[in-house]
Coordinates of all heavy atoms in Angstrom, one line a residue:
M1 N 12.7 -7.9 -18.9 CA 11.8 -8.3 -17.8 C 10.6 -9.0 -18.4 O 10.0 -8.6 -19.4 CB 11.4 -7.0 -17.1 CG 10.2 -7.1 -16.1 SD 10.4 -8.0 -14.5 CE 11.9 -7.1 -13.8
I2 N 10.3 -10.1 -17.7 CA 9.1 -10.9 -18.2 C 7.9 -9.9 -18.0 O 7.8 -9.0 -17.2 CB 8.9 -12.1 -17.2 CG1 8.0 -13.1 -17.9 CG2 8.5 -11.8 -15.9 CD1 8.0 -14.5 -17.3
E3 N 6.9 -10.1 -18.9 CA 5.8 -9.2 -19.1 C 4.5 -9.7 -18.4 O 3.6 -8.9 -18.1 CB 5.5 -8.7 -20.5 CG 6.7 -7.9 -21.0 CD 6.5 -7.5 -22.4 OE1 5.5 -7.5 -23.0 OE2 7.5 -7.0 -23.0
K4 N 4.5 -11.0 -18.4 CA 3.2 -11.6 -17.9 C 3.5 -13.0 -17.3 O 4.4 -13.7 -17.8 CB 2.1 -11.8 -19.1 CG 0.7 -12.0 -18.6 CD -0.2 -11.7 -19.7 CE -1.5 -11.6 -18.9 NZ -2.5 -10.8 -19.7
I5 N 2.8 -13.3 -16.2 CA 3.1 -14.6 -15.5 C 1.9 -15.5 -15.8 O 0.8 -15.2 -15.4 CB 3.3 -14.4 -14.0 CG1 4.4 -13.4 -13.6 CG2 3.6 -15.7 -13.3 CD1 5.7 -13.6 -14.1
L6 N 2.1 -16.5 -16.6 CA 1.0 -17.5 -17.0 C 1.2 -18.9 -16.5 O 0.2 -19.7 -16.4 CB 0.9 -17.4 -18.5 CG 0.6 -16.1 -19.1 CD1 0.6 -16.2 -20.6 CD2 -0.8 -15.6 -18.6
T7 N 2.4 -19.3 -16.2 CA 2.8 -20.6 -15.8 C 3.8 -20.7 -14.6 O 4.4 -19.7 -14.2 CB 3.5 -21.4 -17.0 OG1 4.8 -20.7 -17.2 CG2 2.7 -21.3 -18.2
I8 N 4.0 -21.8 -14.0 CA 5.0 -21.9 -12.9 C 6.4 -21.7 -13.4 O 7.2 -21.1 -12.7 CB 4.9 -23.3 -12.3 CG1 3.5 -23.6 -11.6 CG2 6.0 -23.6 -11.4 CD1 3.2 -22.6 -10.5
E9 N 6.6 -22.0 -14.7 CA 8.0 -21.7 -15.2 C 8.1 -20.1 -15.3 O 9.2 -19.6 -15.1 CB 8.2 -22.3 -16.6 CG 8.4 -23.8 -16.5 CD 9.5 -24.3 -15.6 OE1 10.6 -23.6 -15.8 OE2 9.3 -25.2 -14.7
D10 N 7.0 -19.4 -15.6 CA 7.1 -18.0 -15.6 C 7.4 -17.4 -14.2 O 8.2 -16.5 -13.9 CB 5.9 -17.3 -16.1 CG 5.5 -17.6 -17.6 OD1 6.5 -17.9 -18.3 OD2 4.4 -17.4 -18.0
V11 N 6.8 -18.1 -13.2 CA 7.0 -17.7 -11.7 C 8.6 -17.9 -11.5 O 9.2 -17.0 -10.9 CB 6.2 -18.6 -10.8 CG1 6.6 -18.3 -9.3 CG2 4.7 -18.2 -11.0
K12 N 9.1 -19.0 -11.9 CA 10.5 -19.3 -11.6 C 11.4 -18.3 -12.4 O 12.4 -17.9 -11.8 CB 10.8 -20.7 -12.1 CG 10.2 -21.7 -11.2 CD 10.5 -23.2 -11.7 CE 9.9 -24.2 -10.9 NZ 10.2 -25.6 -11.5
Q13 N 11.0 -18.0 -13.6 CA 11.8 -17.0 -14.4 C 11.8 -15.7 -13.7 O 12.8 -14.9 -13.6 CB 11.3 -16.9 -15.7 CG 12.1 -16.0 -16.7 CD 13.5 -16.5 -16.9 OE1 13.7 -17.7 -16.9 NE2 14.5 -15.5 -16.9
Y14 N 10.6 -15.3 -13.2 CA 10.5 -14.0 -12.5 C 11.4 -13.9 -11.3 O 12.1 -12.9 -11.0 CB 9.1 -13.7 -12.2 CG 8.8 -12.4 -11.6 CD1 9.3 -11.1 -12.2 CD2 8.1 -12.3 -10.4 CE1 9.0 -10.0 -11.6 CE2 7.9 -11.0 -9.8 CZ 8.3 -9.9 -10.5 OH 8.1 -8.6 -9.9
A15 N 11.4 -15.0 -10.5 CA 12.2 -15.1 -9.3 C 13.7 -14.9 -9.7 O 14.5 -14.2 -9.0 CB 12.0 -16.4 -8.5
K16 N 14.1 -15.6 -10.8 CA 15.5 -15.5 -11.3 C 15.8 -14.0 -11.7 O 16.9 -13.5 -11.4 CB 15.7 -16.5 -12.4 CG 15.7 -17.9 -12.1 CD 15.9 -18.7 -13.3 CE 15.8 -20.2 -13.0 NZ 15.9 -21.0 -14.1
Q17 N 14.8 -13.4 -12.4 CA 15.1 -12.0 -12.7 C 15.3 -11.1 -11.6 O 16.2 -10.2 -11.6 CB 13.9 -11.5 -13.7 CG 13.9 -12.2 -15.0 CD 12.7 -11.7 -15.8 OE1 11.8 -11.0 -15.4 NE2 12.7 -12.2 -17.1
L18 N 14.4 -11.3 -10.6 CA 14.5 -10.4 -9.3 C 15.9 -10.7 -8.6 O 16.5 -9.7 -8.2 CB 13.4 -10.7 -8.4 CG 12.0 -10.3 -8.9 CD1 10.9 -10.8 -7.9 CD2 11.9 -8.8 -9.1
T19 N 16.3 -11.9 -8.5 CA 17.6 -12.2 -8.0 C 18.7 -11.6 -8.7 O 19.7 -11.1 -8.2 CB 17.8 -13.7 -7.8 OG1 16.6 -14.3 -7.1 CG2 19.1 -14.1 -7.1
A20 N 18.6 -11.6 -10.2 CA 19.6 -11.0 -11.0 C 19.7 -9.6 -10.7 O 20.8 -9.0 -11.0 CB 19.3 -11.4 -12.4
E21 N 18.6 -8.9 -10.3 CA 18.6 -7.5 -10.0 C 19.3 -7.2 -8.7 O 19.5 -6.0 -8.3 CB 17.2 -7.0 -9.9 CG 16.5 -6.9 -11.3 CD 15.1 -6.5 -11.2 OE1 14.6 -6.0 -10.1 OE2 14.4 -6.5 -12.2
G22 N 19.7 -8.2 -8.0 CA 20.4 -8.1 -6.7 C 19.6 -8.1 -5.5 O 19.9 -7.7 -4.4
L23 N 18.3 -8.5 -5.7 CA 17.4 -8.5 -4.6 C 17.4 -9.8 -3.8 O 17.5 -10.9 -4.3 CB 15.9 -8.4 -5.1 CG 15.5 -7.1 -5.7 CD1 14.0 -7.2 -6.0 CD2 15.8 -5.9 -4.7
S24 N 17.3 -9.7 -2.5 CA 17.0 -10.8 -1.6 C 15.6 -10.4 -1.2 O 15.3 -9.6 -0.3 CB 17.9 -10.7 -0.4 OG 17.4 -11.8 0.6
F25 N 14.6 -10.9 -1.9 CA 13.2 -10.5 -1.9 C 12.3 -11.5 -1.1 O 12.7 -12.7 -0.9 CB 12.6 -10.2 -3.4 CG 12.5 -11.5 -4.1 CD1 11.3 -12.2 -4.1 CD2 13.6 -12.0 -4.8 CE1 11.3 -13.5 -4.9 CE2 13.6 -13.2 -5.5 CZ 12.4 -13.9 -5.6
H26 N 11.2 -11.0 -0.8 CA 10.1 -11.9 -0.2 C 8.9 -11.6 -1.0 O 8.5 -10.5 -1.3 CB 9.9 -11.5 1.2 CG 9.0 -12.5 1.9 ND1 7.6 -12.4 1.9 CD2 9.3 -13.6 2.7 CE1 7.1 -13.5 2.5 NE2 8.1 -14.2 3.0
P27 N 8.1 -12.7 -1.4 CA 6.9 -12.4 -2.2 C 5.9 -11.5 -1.7 O 5.0 -10.9 -2.3 CB 6.4 -13.9 -2.4 CG 7.5 -14.7 -2.2 CD 8.5 -14.1 -1.2
D28 N 5.8 -11.4 -0.3 CA 4.9 -10.5 0.3 C 5.2 -9.0 0.4 O 4.4 -8.2 0.6 CB 4.6 -10.9 1.8 CG 3.9 -12.3 1.9 OD1 3.2 -12.7 0.8 OD2 4.0 -12.9 2.9
D29 N 6.5 -8.7 0.0 CA 7.0 -7.4 0.1 C 6.5 -6.5 -1.1 O 6.4 -6.9 -2.2 CB 8.5 -7.3 0.2 CG 9.0 -7.9 1.5 OD1 8.3 -8.0 2.4 OD2 10.2 -8.2 1.4
D30 N 6.2 -5.2 -0.8 CA 5.9 -4.2 -1.8 C 7.2 -3.7 -2.3 O 8.1 -3.3 -1.6 CB 5.1 -3.1 -1.1 CG 4.5 -2.1 -2.0 OD1 5.2 -1.8 -3.1 OD2 3.5 -1.5 -1.7
F31 N 7.3 -3.7 -3.6 CA 8.5 -3.1 -4.3 C 8.7 -1.7 -4.1 O 9.9 -1.2 -4.3 CB 8.5 -3.6 -5.8 CG 8.8 -5.1 -6.0 CD1 7.8 -6.0 -6.1 CD2 10.0 -5.6 -6.0 CE1 7.9 -7.3 -6.2 CE2 10.3 -6.9 -6.1 CZ 9.2 -7.8 -6.2
N32 N 7.7 -1.0 -3.7 CA 7.9 0.4 -3.3 C 8.7 0.6 -2.1 O 9.3 1.7 -1.8 CB 6.5 1.1 -3.1 CG 5.8 1.3 -4.4 OD1 6.2 2.0 -5.2 ND2 4.7 0.6 -4.6
D33 N 8.9 -0.5 -1.3 CA 9.6 -0.4 0.0 C 11.1 -0.7 -0.1 O 11.8 -0.6 0.8 CB 9.0 -1.4 1.0 CG 7.5 -1.0 1.3 OD1 7.2 0.2 1.2 OD2 6.8 -1.8 1.9
Y34 N 11.6 -1.2 -1.3 CA 13.0 -1.5 -1.5 C 13.8 -0.2 -1.7 O 13.4 0.6 -2.4 CB 13.2 -2.4 -2.7 CG 12.7 -3.9 -2.4 CD1 11.5 -4.3 -2.8 CD2 13.6 -4.7 -1.8 CE1 11.0 -5.5 -2.5 CE2 13.2 -6.1 -1.6 CZ 12.0 -6.4 -1.9 OH 11.5 -7.7 -1.7
I35 N 14.8 -0.2 -0.9 CA 15.7 1.0 -0.9 C 17.1 0.5 -1.2 O 17.7 -0.5 -0.7 CB 15.7 1.6 0.6 CG1 14.4 2.0 1.1 CG2 16.7 2.7 0.6 CD1 13.7 3.1 0.2
D36 N 17.8 1.3 -2.0 CA 19.2 1.1 -2.4 C 20.1 1.6 -1.1 O 20.1 2.8 -0.9 CB 19.5 1.9 -3.7 CG 20.9 1.7 -4.1 OD1 21.8 1.5 -3.3 OD2 21.2 1.7 -5.3
I37 N 20.6 0.6 -0.5 CA 21.4 1.0 0.7 C 22.6 1.9 0.4 O 23.0 2.7 1.3 CB 21.8 -0.3 1.5 CG1 22.8 -1.2 0.7 CG2 20.6 -1.0 2.0 CD1 23.4 -2.3 1.5
S38 N 23.1 1.9 -0.7 CA 24.3 2.8 -1.1 C 23.9 4.2 -1.3 O 24.7 5.1 -1.0 CB 25.0 2.3 -2.3 OG 24.2 2.3 -3.4
T39 N 22.6 4.4 -1.6 CA 22.1 5.8 -1.9 C 21.0 6.2 -0.9 O 20.8 7.5 -0.7 CB 21.6 6.0 -3.3 OG1 20.4 5.1 -3.4 CG2 22.6 5.5 -4.3
G40 N 20.4 5.3 -0.3 CA 19.3 5.6 0.6 C 17.9 5.9 -0.2 O 17.0 6.4 0.5
K41 N 18.1 5.9 -1.5 CA 16.9 6.2 -2.4 C 16.1 4.9 -2.8 O 16.7 3.8 -2.7 CB 17.3 6.9 -3.7 CG 18.0 8.2 -3.4 CD 18.4 8.9 -4.6 CE 19.1 10.3 -4.2 NZ 19.5 11.0 -5.4
P42 N 14.8 5.1 -3.2 CA 14.1 3.8 -3.6 C 14.9 3.1 -4.7 O 15.4 3.7 -5.6 CB 12.8 4.5 -4.2 CG 12.7 5.7 -3.5 CD 14.1 6.2 -3.3
S43 N 14.8 1.8 -4.7 CA 15.4 0.9 -5.7 C 14.7 1.1 -7.0 O 15.2 0.9 -8.1 CB 15.4 -0.5 -5.2 OG 16.2 -0.6 -4.1
Y44 N 13.4 1.3 -7.0 CA 12.5 1.3 -8.2 C 11.7 2.7 -8.2 O 11.2 3.1 -7.2 CB 11.5 0.2 -8.2 CG 12.3 -1.1 -8.1 CD1 12.3 -1.9 -6.9 CD2 12.9 -1.6 -9.3 CE1 13.0 -3.2 -6.9 CE2 13.6 -2.9 -9.2 CZ 13.6 -3.6 -8.1 OH 14.3 -4.8 -8.1
S45 N 11.5 3.1 -9.4 CA 10.6 4.2 -9.6 C 9.1 3.7 -9.3 O 9.0 2.5 -9.2 CB 10.6 4.6 -11.2 OG 10.0 3.7 -12.0
N46 N 8.2 4.6 -9.2 CA 6.8 4.1 -8.9 C 6.3 3.2 -10.0 O 5.6 2.2 -9.7 CB 5.9 5.4 -8.8 CG 6.2 6.1 -7.5 OD1 6.7 5.7 -6.6 ND2 5.8 7.4 -7.6
D47 N 6.6 3.5 -11.2 CA 6.2 2.6 -12.4 C 6.8 1.2 -12.3 O 6.1 0.2 -12.5 CB 6.4 3.3 -13.7 CG 5.4 4.5 -14.0 OD1 4.5 4.6 -13.4 OD2 5.8 5.3 -14.9
D48 N 8.2 1.3 -12.0 CA 8.9 0.0 -12.0 C 8.4 -0.9 -10.8 O 8.2 -2.1 -10.9 CB 10.4 0.2 -11.9 CG 11.0 0.6 -13.2 OD1 10.3 0.5 -14.2 OD2 12.1 1.2 -13.1
A49 N 8.1 -0.2 -9.7 CA 7.6 -1.0 -8.5 C 6.3 -1.5 -8.8 O 5.9 -2.6 -8.5 CB 7.6 -0.1 -7.3
A50 N 5.4 -0.7 -9.5 CA 4.0 -1.1 -9.8 C 4.0 -2.3 -10.7 O 3.2 -3.3 -10.5 CB 3.2 0.0 -10.4
L51 N 4.9 -2.3 -11.7 CA 5.0 -3.5 -12.6 C 5.4 -4.7 -11.9 O 4.8 -5.8 -12.0 CB 6.1 -3.1 -13.7 CG 6.4 -4.3 -14.5 CD1 5.3 -4.8 -15.4 CD2 7.6 -3.9 -15.5
R52 N 6.5 -4.6 -11.0 CA 6.9 -5.7 -10.2 C 5.8 -6.3 -9.3 O 5.6 -7.5 -9.1 CB 8.2 -5.4 -9.5 CG 9.4 -5.4 -10.4 CD 10.6 -4.7 -9.9 NE 11.7 -4.7 -10.8 CZ 11.7 -4.0 -11.9 NH1 10.9 -3.2 -12.2 NH2 12.8 -4.1 -12.8
N53 N 5.1 -5.4 -8.6 CA 4.0 -5.7 -7.7 C 3.0 -6.5 -8.5 O 2.4 -7.5 -8.0 CB 3.4 -4.5 -7.0 CG 4.3 -4.0 -5.9 OD1 5.0 -4.7 -5.3 ND2 4.2 -2.7 -5.6
E54 N 2.6 -6.0 -9.7 CA 1.5 -6.7 -10.6 C 2.0 -8.0 -10.9 O 1.2 -9.0 -10.9 CB 1.2 -5.8 -11.7 CG 0.3 -6.5 -12.7 CD -1.0 -7.0 -12.2 OE1 -1.5 -6.4 -11.2 OE2 -1.6 -8.0 -12.7
L55 N 3.3 -8.2 -11.3 CA 3.8 -9.5 -11.7 C 3.8 -10.4 -10.6 O 3.5 -11.7 -10.7 CB 5.2 -9.4 -12.3 CG 5.3 -8.6 -13.7 CD1 6.8 -8.4 -14.1 CD2 4.6 -9.5 -14.7
M56 N 4.1 -9.9 -9.3 CA 4.1 -10.8 -8.2 C 2.6 -11.3 -7.9 O 2.5 -12.4 -7.5 CB 4.7 -10.0 -6.9 CG 4.9 -11.0 -5.8 SD 6.1 -12.4 -6.1 CE 7.6 -11.5 -6.0
T57 N 1.7 -10.3 -8.0 CA 0.3 -10.7 -7.9 C -0.1 -11.9 -8.9 O -0.7 -12.8 -8.5 CB -0.6 -9.5 -8.1 OG1 -0.3 -8.5 -7.1 CG2 -2.1 -9.9 -8.1
Q58 N 0.4 -11.7 -10.1 CA 0.2 -12.8 -11.1 C 0.8 -14.2 -10.6 O 0.2 -15.2 -10.8 CB 0.7 -12.3 -12.4 CG -0.1 -11.2 -13.0 CD 0.5 -10.8 -14.3 OE1 1.3 -11.5 -15.1 NE2 0.2 -9.4 -14.7
C59 N 2.0 -14.0 -10.0 CA 2.7 -15.2 -9.6 C 1.8 -15.9 -8.5 O 1.7 -17.1 -8.4 CB 4.1 -14.8 -8.9 SG 5.3 -14.4 -10.1
F60 N 1.3 -15.1 -7.5 CA 0.4 -15.7 -6.5 C -0.9 -16.3 -7.2 O -1.2 -17.4 -6.7 CB -0.1 -14.6 -5.6 CG 0.8 -14.3 -4.4 CD1 1.7 -13.3 -4.4 CD2 0.8 -15.1 -3.2 CE1 2.6 -13.1 -3.3 CE2 1.6 -14.9 -2.1 CZ 2.6 -13.9 -2.2
D61 N -1.4 -15.7 -8.1 CA -2.6 -16.3 -8.8 C -2.3 -17.6 -9.5 O -3.0 -18.6 -9.3 CB -3.1 -15.3 -9.8 CG -3.7 -14.1 -9.2 OD1 -4.0 -14.1 -8.0 OD2 -3.9 -13.1 -10.0
V62 N -1.1 -17.7 -10.2 CA -0.7 -18.9 -10.9 C -0.4 -20.0 -9.9 O -0.9 -21.2 -10.1 CB 0.5 -18.7 -11.8 CG1 1.1 -20.0 -12.3 CG2 0.1 -17.8 -13.0
C63 N 0.3 -19.7 -8.8 CA 0.6 -20.7 -7.8 C -0.6 -21.2 -7.1 O -0.7 -22.4 -6.8 CB 1.6 -20.1 -6.8 SG 3.3 -20.0 -7.6
E64 N -1.5 -20.3 -6.9 CA -2.8 -20.7 -6.1 C -3.6 -21.6 -7.0 O -4.1 -22.7 -6.6 CB -3.7 -19.5 -5.8 CG -4.9 -19.9 -5.0 CD -5.7 -18.7 -4.6 OE1 -5.1 -17.6 -4.3 OE2 -6.9 -18.8 -4.4
K65 N -3.7 -21.3 -8.3 CA -4.4 -22.1 -9.3 C -3.8 -23.5 -9.4 O -4.5 -24.5 -9.6 CB -4.4 -21.4 -10.7 CG -5.1 -22.2 -11.7 CD -5.1 -21.4 -13.0 CE -5.6 -22.2 -14.2 NZ -5.3 -21.7 -15.5
E66 N -2.5 -23.6 -9.3 CA -1.7 -24.9 -9.5 C -1.6 -25.6 -8.2 O -1.0 -26.7 -8.2 CB -0.4 -24.6 -10.2 CG -0.5 -24.1 -11.6 CD -1.0 -25.0 -12.5 OE1 -0.9 -26.3 -12.4 OE2 -1.7 -24.5 -13.5
D67 N -2.0 -25.0 -7.1 CA -1.9 -25.5 -5.7 C -0.4 -25.8 -5.4 O 0.0 -26.9 -4.9 CB -2.7 -26.8 -5.5 CG -2.9 -27.1 -4.1 OD1 -2.8 -26.2 -3.3 OD2 -3.1 -28.3 -3.8
I68 N 0.4 -24.7 -5.7 CA 1.9 -24.8 -5.4 C 2.2 -23.7 -4.5 O 1.7 -22.6 -4.6 CB 2.6 -24.7 -6.7 CG1 2.3 -26.0 -7.6 CG2 4.1 -24.5 -6.6 CD1 3.0 -26.0 -9.0
D69 N 3.1 -24.0 -3.5 CA 3.5 -23.0 -2.6 C 4.5 -22.0 -3.2 O 5.6 -22.3 -3.6 CB 4.2 -23.7 -1.4 CG 4.5 -22.7 -0.2 OD1 4.8 -21.6 -0.5 OD2 4.5 -23.3 0.9
I70 N 4.0 -20.8 -3.4 CA 4.8 -19.7 -4.0 C 6.0 -19.4 -3.2 O 7.1 -19.2 -3.8 CB 4.0 -18.4 -4.2 CG1 4.8 -17.4 -5.0 CG2 3.6 -17.8 -2.8 CD1 4.0 -16.2 -5.4
Y71 N 6.0 -19.6 -1.9 CA 7.2 -19.3 -1.1 C 8.3 -20.3 -1.4 O 9.5 -19.9 -1.4 CB 6.8 -19.2 0.4 CG 5.7 -18.2 0.7 CD1 4.4 -18.6 0.9 CD2 6.0 -16.9 0.6 CE1 3.3 -17.7 1.1 CE2 5.0 -15.9 0.8 CZ 3.7 -16.3 1.1 OH 2.7 -15.4 1.3
E72 N 8.0 -21.5 -1.5 CA 8.9 -22.6 -1.8 C 9.5 -22.4 -3.2 O 10.7 -22.4 -3.4 CB 8.3 -23.9 -1.7 CG 8.1 -24.4 -0.3 CD 7.6 -25.8 -0.1 OE1 7.5 -26.5 -1.1 OE2 7.2 -26.2 1.0
V73 N 8.7 -22.1 -4.2 CA 9.1 -21.9 -5.5 C 10.0 -20.7 -5.6 O 11.2 -20.8 -6.1 CB 8.0 -21.7 -6.5 CG1 8.4 -21.3 -7.9 CG2 7.1 -22.9 -6.6
M74 N 9.7 -19.6 -5.1 CA 10.5 -18.4 -5.1 C 11.8 -18.6 -4.3 O 12.9 -18.2 -4.8 CB 9.7 -17.2 -4.5 CG 8.6 -16.7 -5.4 SD 9.2 -15.8 -6.7 CE 7.8 -15.1 -7.5
M75 N 11.7 -19.2 -3.2 CA 13.0 -19.4 -2.4 C 14.0 -20.3 -3.1 O 15.1 -20.0 -3.2 CB 12.7 -19.9 -1.0 CG 13.9 -20.2 -0.2 SD 13.5 -21.0 1.4 CE 14.3 -19.7 2.5
E76 N 13.4 -21.4 -3.7 CA 14.3 -22.3 -4.3 C 15.0 -21.6 -5.5 O 16.2 -21.8 -5.7 CB 13.5 -23.5 -4.8 CG 14.4 -24.5 -5.4 CD 13.8 -26.0 -5.3 OE1 13.4 -26.2 -4.1 OE2 14.0 -26.7 -6.2
E77 N 14.3 -20.9 -6.3 CA 14.9 -20.1 -7.4 C 15.9 -19.1 -7.0 O 17.0 -19.0 -7.6 CB 13.8 -19.6 -8.3 CG 13.0 -20.5 -9.0 CD 13.7 -21.6 -9.9 OE1 14.8 -21.2 -10.6 OE2 13.4 -22.8 -9.8
M78 N 15.6 -18.4 -5.9 CA 16.5 -17.4 -5.4 C 17.8 -18.1 -4.9 O 18.9 -17.6 -5.1 CB 15.9 -16.6 -4.3 CG 16.7 -15.5 -3.7 SD 15.9 -14.4 -2.5 CE 15.5 -15.5 -1.2
L79 N 17.7 -19.2 -4.2 CA 18.9 -19.9 -3.7 C 19.7 -20.4 -4.8 O 21.0 -20.3 -4.8 CB 18.4 -21.0 -2.8 CG 17.7 -20.7 -1.5 CD1 17.2 -21.9 -0.7 CD2 18.7 -19.9 -0.5
L80 N 19.0 -21.0 -5.8 CA 19.8 -21.5 -7.0 C 20.5 -20.4 -7.7 O 21.6 -20.6 -8.1 CB 18.8 -22.3 -7.9 CG 18.4 -23.7 -7.4 CD1 17.2 -24.2 -8.3 CD2 19.5 -24.7 -7.4
E81 N 19.8 -19.4 -8.0 CA 20.3 -18.2 -8.8 C 21.5 -17.5 -8.1 O 22.4 -17.1 -8.7 CB 19.2 -17.3 -9.2 CG 19.5 -16.3 -10.2 CD 19.7 -16.9 -11.6 OE1 19.3 -18.1 -11.8 OE2 20.3 -16.3 -12.5
S82 N 21.4 -17.5 -6.8 CA 22.4 -16.7 -6.0 C 23.6 -17.6 -5.6 O 24.6 -17.1 -5.1 CB 21.7 -16.1 -4.8 OG 21.4 -17.1 -3.9
G83 N 23.4 -18.9 -5.7 CA 24.5 -19.8 -5.3 C 24.3 -20.2 -3.9 O 25.2 -20.9 -3.4
M84 N 23.4 -19.7 -3.2 CA 23.2 -20.0 -1.8 C 22.7 -21.4 -1.5 O 22.7 -21.9 -0.4 CB 22.2 -19.0 -1.2 CG 22.7 -17.6 -1.1 SD 24.1 -17.4 0.0 CE 23.4 -17.6 1.6
D85 N 22.3 -22.1 -2.6 CA 21.9 -23.5 -2.5 C 23.0 -24.4 -2.0 O 22.7 -25.5 -1.5 CB 21.3 -24.1 -3.8 CG 22.4 -24.1 -4.9 OD1 23.0 -23.0 -5.1 OD2 22.5 -25.1 -5.6
K86 N 24.2 -23.9 -2.0 CA 25.3 -24.7 -1.5 C 25.5 -24.6 0.0 O 26.1 -25.3 0.6 CB 26.6 -24.2 -2.2 CG 26.6 -24.6 -3.7 CD 27.6 -23.8 -4.5 CE 27.5 -24.0 -5.9 NZ 26.3 -23.9 -6.6
I87 N 24.7 -23.6 0.5 CA 24.8 -23.4 2.0 C 23.4 -23.7 2.6 O 23.4 -24.3 3.7 CB 25.1 -21.9 2.3 CG1 26.5 -21.5 1.7 CG2 25.1 -21.6 3.8 CD1 26.8 -20.1 1.6
I88 N 22.4 -23.4 2.0 CA 21.0 -23.6 2.5 C 20.3 -24.7 1.6 O 20.3 -24.6 0.4 CB 20.2 -22.2 2.4 CG1 20.9 -21.1 3.2 CG2 18.8 -22.4 2.9 CD1 20.3 -19.8 3.0
P89 N 19.8 -25.7 2.3 CA 19.1 -26.8 1.6 C 17.9 -26.3 0.8 O 17.2 -25.4 1.3 CB 18.7 -27.8 2.6 CG 19.5 -27.4 3.8 CD 19.8 -26.0 3.8
L90 N 17.7 -26.8 -0.4 CA 16.6 -26.4 -1.2 C 15.3 -27.0 -0.6 O 15.3 -28.1 -0.1 CB 16.7 -26.9 -2.7 CG 17.9 -26.4 -3.4 CD1 18.1 -27.0 -4.8 CD2 17.8 -24.8 -3.6
P91 N 14.2 -26.2 -0.7 CA 12.9 -26.7 -0.2 C 12.5 -28.0 -0.8 O 12.0 -28.9 -0.1 CB 12.0 -25.6 -0.5 CG 12.8 -24.3 -0.6 CD 14.1 -24.9 -1.1
S92 N 12.8 -28.3 -2.1 CA 12.4 -29.4 -2.7 C 13.2 -30.7 -2.2 O 12.6 -31.7 -2.1 CB 12.6 -29.4 -4.2 OG 13.9 -29.2 -4.6
L93 N 14.4 -30.5 -1.8 CA 15.2 -31.5 -1.3 C 14.7 -31.9 0.2 O 14.6 -33.1 0.5 CB 16.7 -31.2 -1.2 CG 17.3 -31.0 -2.5 CD1 18.8 -30.5 -2.4 CD2 17.2 -32.2 -3.4
K94 N 14.3 -30.9 0.9 CA 13.7 -31.2 2.2 C 12.5 -32.0 2.1 O 12.2 -32.9 2.9 CB 13.5 -29.8 3.0 CG 14.6 -29.1 3.5 CD 14.2 -27.9 4.2 CE 15.3 -27.0 4.8 NZ 14.9 -25.9 5.4
K95 N 11.6 -31.6 1.1 CA 10.3 -32.2 0.9 C 10.6 -33.7 0.5 O 9.9 -34.6 1.0 CB 9.6 -31.5 -0.1 CG 8.1 -32.0 -0.3 CD 7.4 -31.2 -1.3 CE 6.7 -30.0 -0.6 NZ 5.9 -29.3 -1.5
E96 N 11.6 -33.9 -0.4 CA 11.8 -35.2 -0.8 C 12.3 -36.1 0.3 O 11.9 -37.3 0.5 CB 12.9 -35.3 -2.0 CG 12.5 -34.8 -3.3 CD 13.6 -34.6 -4.2 OE1 14.7 -35.2 -4.1 OE2 13.4 -34.0 -5.3
A97 N 13.2 -35.6 1.2 CA 13.7 -36.3 2.3 C 12.5 -36.6 3.3 O 12.5 -37.8 3.8 CB 14.7 -35.5 3.0
K98 N 11.6 -35.7 3.5 CA 10.5 -35.9 4.4 C 9.5 -37.0 3.8 O 9.0 -37.8 4.6 CB 9.8 -34.6 4.5 CG 8.7 -34.6 5.5 CD 8.0 -33.3 5.6 CE 6.7 -33.3 6.5 NZ 6.1 -32.0 6.5
D99 N 9.4 -37.0 2.5 CA 8.4 -38.0 2.0 C 9.0 -39.4 1.9 O 8.2 -40.4 1.7 CB 8.1 -37.6 0.5 CG 7.2 -36.3 0.4 OD1 6.7 -35.9 1.4 OD2 7.2 -35.6 -0.6
Q100 N 10.3 -39.6 2.0 CA 10.9 -41.0 2.0 C 10.7 -41.6 3.3 O 10.5 -41.4 4.4 CB 12.3 -40.8 1.6 CG 12.4 -40.4 0.2 CD 13.8 -40.3 -0.4 OE1 14.8 -40.6 0.4 NE2 14.0 -40.0 -1.6

């Protein structure tokens, strides 16, 4: 697990890691709220959820500093990592088409 978010590339890496954990996540969600549907128990311990929440806060800080939309970055990485980019258009492709 990445330990600190300092760059946009770190934000992307974190999104990839979350997707690899099997999450369909939203940046605004509290990791304490994720439940394993097969067991009905929390997906993360309190410490693991706190770590992920802190890393997400760092993602917001980096994106705000760089004036980049965290939702687009996270969604794009989640779509690419999950293979859903073959079904759902990537935000960057929509933006490119709009700008032309």
Side-chain angles (χ1 to χ4, degrees):
M1 168 76 50
I2 196 165
E3 294 180 12
K4 197 162 199 156
I5 309 294
L6 301 172
T7 67
I8 294 300
E9 286 307 311
D10 292 343
V11 172
K12 291 177 181 181
Q13 184 62 37
Y14 185 53
K16 289 177 184 179
Q17 290 176 356
L18 293 174
T19 304
E21 290 179 5
L23 290 183
S24 176
F25 66 93
H26 190 280
D28 292 339
D29 289 345
D30 184 330
F31 287 93
N32 288 295
D33 295 339
Y34 285 93
I35 303 295
D36 182 327
I37 59 171
S38 63
T39 65
K41 295 181 180 181
S43 297
Y44 300 105
S45 69
N46 290 337
D47 288 343
D48 288 341
L51 170 64
R52 284 163 179 76
N53 285 332
E54 173 55 30
L55 290 170
M56 190 63 76
T57 296
Q58 293 174 24
C59 288
F60 272 96
D61 293 343
V62 167
C63 287
E64 184 176 330
K65 179 181 171 193
E66 297 293 328
D67 196 28
I68 293 177
D69 187 328
I70 189 172
Y71 303 103
E72 286 183 7
V73 171
M74 291 281 188
M75 177 181 236
E76 186 148 318
E77 293 306 318
M78 184 173 61
L79 292 173
L80 287 167
E81 196 66 18
S82 68
M84 294 294 291
D85 61 308
K86 292 160 185 56
I87 301 167
I88 301 170
L90 297 175
S92 62
L93 295 178
K94 286 182 183 180
K95 188 179 275 187
E96 286 175 15
K98 184 179 172 184
D99 290 344
Q100 292 180 357

